[in-house]
Amino acid sequence: MGLDADFTIHRTWIFPMTGEEAKTPVRDGWPVQEERLHVLSLRKNNRIHAWVCKNVDMGAHECKEVLLGVEQLKALEDVLIAFSTDANALPECPDEVWGSFFGDRDVGPEDQVWAVQYAKRIRAMREYIEEHKGSGYEMDKPWVGGFYQASW
Protein backbone atom coordinates (compact mmCIF):
# COMPACT_ATOMS: atom_id res chain seq x y z
CA MET A 1 0.00 0.00 0.00
CA GLY A 2 1.18 3.49 -0.75
CA LEU A 3 0.57 6.52 -2.89
CA ASP A 4 0.45 5.48 -6.55
CA ALA A 5 -0.48 7.82 -9.38
CA ASP A 6 -0.69 7.79 -13.14
CA PHE A 7 -0.70 10.42 -15.85
CA THR A 8 -2.68 9.37 -18.92
CA ILE A 9 -3.87 10.82 -22.20
CA HIS A 10 -7.46 10.12 -23.20
CA ARG A 11 -8.60 10.23 -26.81
CA THR A 12 -12.41 10.30 -26.91
CA TRP A 13 -14.69 10.17 -29.95
CA ILE A 14 -17.99 11.78 -29.01
CA PHE A 15 -19.79 10.14 -31.93
CA PRO A 16 -17.93 6.89 -32.67
CA MET A 17 -19.01 5.65 -36.09
CA THR A 18 -18.12 3.04 -38.63
CA GLY A 19 -18.58 3.13 -42.36
CA GLU A 20 -16.65 4.35 -45.34
CA GLU A 21 -16.93 8.06 -44.53
CA ALA A 22 -16.28 7.72 -40.76
CA LYS A 23 -12.69 7.94 -39.53
CA THR A 24 -13.23 6.52 -36.04
CA PRO A 25 -10.77 3.69 -35.32
CA VAL A 26 -12.30 0.23 -35.27
CA ARG A 27 -11.20 -2.67 -33.06
CA ASP A 28 -12.56 -6.16 -33.71
CA GLY A 29 -15.40 -4.66 -35.75
CA TRP A 30 -16.46 -2.14 -33.09
CA PRO A 31 -15.93 1.64 -33.23
CA VAL A 32 -13.54 2.86 -30.57
CA GLN A 33 -15.10 5.37 -28.20
CA GLU A 34 -12.05 6.02 -26.04
CA GLU A 35 -8.37 5.19 -25.97
CA ARG A 36 -6.08 5.75 -22.98
CA LEU A 37 -2.38 6.28 -23.48
CA HIS A 38 -0.19 5.73 -20.44
CA VAL A 39 2.36 8.51 -19.87
CA LEU A 40 3.87 8.13 -16.42
CA SER A 41 3.49 6.12 -13.21
CA LEU A 42 4.54 7.55 -9.87
CA ARG A 43 5.13 5.71 -6.62
CA LYS A 44 4.99 7.62 -3.31
CA ASN A 45 5.62 10.93 -5.01
CA ASN A 46 3.78 13.05 -2.49
CA ARG A 47 5.18 16.38 -3.74
CA ILE A 48 3.71 15.98 -7.23
CA HIS A 49 0.46 14.75 -5.66
CA ALA A 50 0.32 17.84 -3.45
CA TRP A 51 1.05 20.07 -6.46
CA VAL A 52 -1.83 18.55 -8.45
CA CYS A 53 -4.19 18.88 -5.47
CA LYS A 54 -3.26 22.54 -4.95
CA ASN A 55 -2.97 23.69 -8.57
CA VAL A 56 -5.47 21.52 -10.43
CA ASP A 57 -8.19 19.90 -8.32
CA MET A 58 -8.47 18.74 -4.70
CA GLY A 59 -10.53 15.85 -6.05
CA ALA A 60 -7.18 14.24 -6.84
CA HIS A 61 -6.84 13.57 -3.11
CA GLU A 62 -10.12 11.65 -3.22
CA CYS A 63 -8.62 9.42 -5.93
CA LYS A 64 -10.70 11.12 -8.63
CA GLU A 65 -9.32 11.30 -12.11
CA VAL A 66 -8.63 14.99 -12.73
CA LEU A 67 -8.18 16.77 -16.03
CA LEU A 68 -5.06 18.89 -16.51
CA GLY A 69 -5.10 21.64 -19.11
CA VAL A 70 -2.06 22.33 -21.29
CA GLU A 71 -1.26 25.41 -19.16
CA GLN A 72 -1.26 23.28 -16.02
CA LEU A 73 0.94 20.66 -17.68
CA LYS A 74 3.37 23.42 -18.70
CA ALA A 75 3.40 24.77 -15.14
CA LEU A 76 4.08 21.29 -13.74
CA GLU A 77 6.88 20.79 -16.25
CA ASP A 78 8.42 24.12 -15.22
CA VAL A 79 8.17 23.26 -11.52
CA LEU A 80 9.83 19.88 -12.08
CA ILE A 81 12.71 21.48 -14.01
CA ALA A 82 13.16 24.04 -11.23
CA PHE A 83 13.01 21.28 -8.60
CA SER A 84 15.90 19.48 -10.29
CA THR A 85 18.23 22.23 -9.01
CA ASP A 86 16.19 23.73 -6.15
CA ALA A 87 14.49 21.39 -3.67
CA ASN A 88 12.24 24.26 -2.54
CA ALA A 89 10.66 24.66 -6.00
CA LEU A 90 8.27 21.77 -5.31
CA PRO A 91 7.05 22.26 -1.73
CA GLU A 92 6.70 19.54 0.85
CA CYS A 93 3.35 17.77 0.94
CA PRO A 94 1.07 19.58 3.45
CA ASP A 95 -0.79 17.71 6.18
CA GLU A 96 -4.21 18.16 4.52
CA VAL A 97 -3.19 15.89 1.63
CA TRP A 98 -0.77 13.67 3.55
CA GLY A 99 -1.10 9.97 4.30
CA SER A 100 1.25 7.94 6.46
CA PHE A 101 1.86 5.63 3.49
CA PHE A 102 2.84 8.47 1.13
CA GLY A 103 6.58 7.95 1.41
CA ASP A 104 9.23 10.26 2.79
CA ARG A 105 8.89 14.03 3.05
CA ASP A 106 12.65 14.55 2.88
CA VAL A 107 14.26 15.30 -0.48
CA GLY A 108 17.45 13.57 -1.53
CA PRO A 109 19.64 14.00 -4.63
CA GLU A 110 17.90 11.04 -6.31
CA ASP A 111 14.58 12.91 -6.06
CA GLN A 112 15.97 15.79 -8.04
CA VAL A 113 17.29 13.40 -10.71
CA TRP A 114 13.85 11.89 -11.38
CA ALA A 115 12.38 15.38 -11.72
CA VAL A 116 14.11 15.95 -15.06
CA GLN A 117 12.84 12.64 -16.46
CA TYR A 118 9.31 13.34 -15.24
CA ALA A 119 9.43 16.84 -16.76
CA LYS A 120 10.34 15.31 -20.14
CA ARG A 121 7.36 12.94 -19.96
CA ILE A 122 4.99 15.75 -18.95
CA ARG A 123 6.33 17.89 -21.82
CA ALA A 124 5.76 15.02 -24.27
CA MET A 125 2.21 14.64 -22.90
CA ARG A 126 1.49 18.35 -23.30
CA GLU A 127 2.91 18.44 -26.83
CA TYR A 128 0.91 15.38 -27.84
CA ILE A 129 -2.31 16.98 -26.57
CA GLU A 130 -1.56 20.27 -28.34
CA GLU A 131 -0.77 18.48 -31.60
CA HIS A 132 -3.76 16.12 -31.58
CA LYS A 133 -6.50 18.14 -29.94
CA GLY A 134 -9.90 18.17 -31.52
CA SER A 135 -13.40 18.96 -30.36
CA GLY A 136 -14.49 15.33 -30.41
CA TYR A 137 -17.42 16.32 -32.59
CA GLU A 138 -15.39 15.91 -35.75
CA MET A 139 -15.61 12.50 -37.37
CA ASP A 140 -11.87 12.20 -37.82
CA LYS A 141 -10.49 13.92 -34.68
CA PRO A 142 -11.12 12.89 -31.10
CA TRP A 143 -11.19 15.13 -28.08
CA VAL A 144 -7.78 14.72 -26.40
CA GLY A 145 -6.97 15.50 -22.76
CA GLY A 146 -4.47 14.73 -20.01
CA PHE A 147 -5.40 13.24 -16.66
CA TYR A 148 -3.89 12.48 -13.26
CA GLN A 149 -5.28 9.84 -10.92
CA ALA A 150 -3.92 8.78 -7.56
CA SER A 151 -4.75 5.66 -5.57
CA TRP A 152 -3.74 4.08 -2.30
Side-chain angles (χ1 to χ4, degrees):
M1 180 174 269
L3 171 62
D4 295 315
D6 291 291
F7 285 90
T8 56
I9 296 170
H10 297 204
R11 296 168 31 97
T12 305
W13 285 265
I14 306 299
F15 299 111
M17 300 176 70
T18 57
E20 289 183 26
E21 63 281 344
K23 308 249 179 131
T24 306
V26 176
R27 301 285 185 272
D28 299 326
W30 300 96
V32 173
Q33 184 172 16
E34 182 173 80
E35 293 178 322
R36 292 180 181 222
L37 310 174
H38 187 264
V39 176
L40 179 64
S41 285
L42 304 175
R43 177 97 172 112
K44 296 189 177 187
N45 197 306
N46 55 69
R47 288 180 181 243
I48 292 177
H49 178 71
W51 187 93
V52 171
C53 289
K54 178 182 178 190
N55 296 286
V56 180
D57 189 334
M58 277 299 291
H61 193 59
E62 298 167 11
C63 298
K64 293 180 180 175
E65 190 171 54
V66 298
L67 175 66
L68 292 96
V70 291
E71 299 83 15
Q72 292 163 322
L73 289 168
K74 176 67 173 132
L76 177 56
E77 175 191 339
D78 292 344
V79 164
L80 289 168
I81 293 295
F83 179 73
S84 70
T85 58
D86 175 9
N88 295 317
L90 193 56
E92 183 177 291
C93 187
D95 289 340
E96 60 266 16
V97 293
W98 179 257
S100 60
F101 43 85
F102 276 26
D104 193 353
R105 283 185 166 165
D106 294 332
V107 174
E110 69 281 355
D111 295 313
Q112 291 175 288
V113 171
W114 57 250
V116 174
Q117 296 306 314
Y118 291 173
K120 288 178 183 177
R121 297 296 294 169
I122 297 299
R123 178 184 311 122
M125 179 181 187
R126 177 180 53 80
E127 289 173 349
Y128 182 92
I129 292 166
E130 288 174 325
E131 181 181 339
H132 293 90
K133 66 183 172 187
S135 67
Y137 293 100
E138 304 158 80
M139 295 302 166
D140 62 339
K141 283 188 106 171
W143 174 87
V144 180
F147 290 84
Y148 171 88
Q149 185 169 24
S151 63
W152 46 84

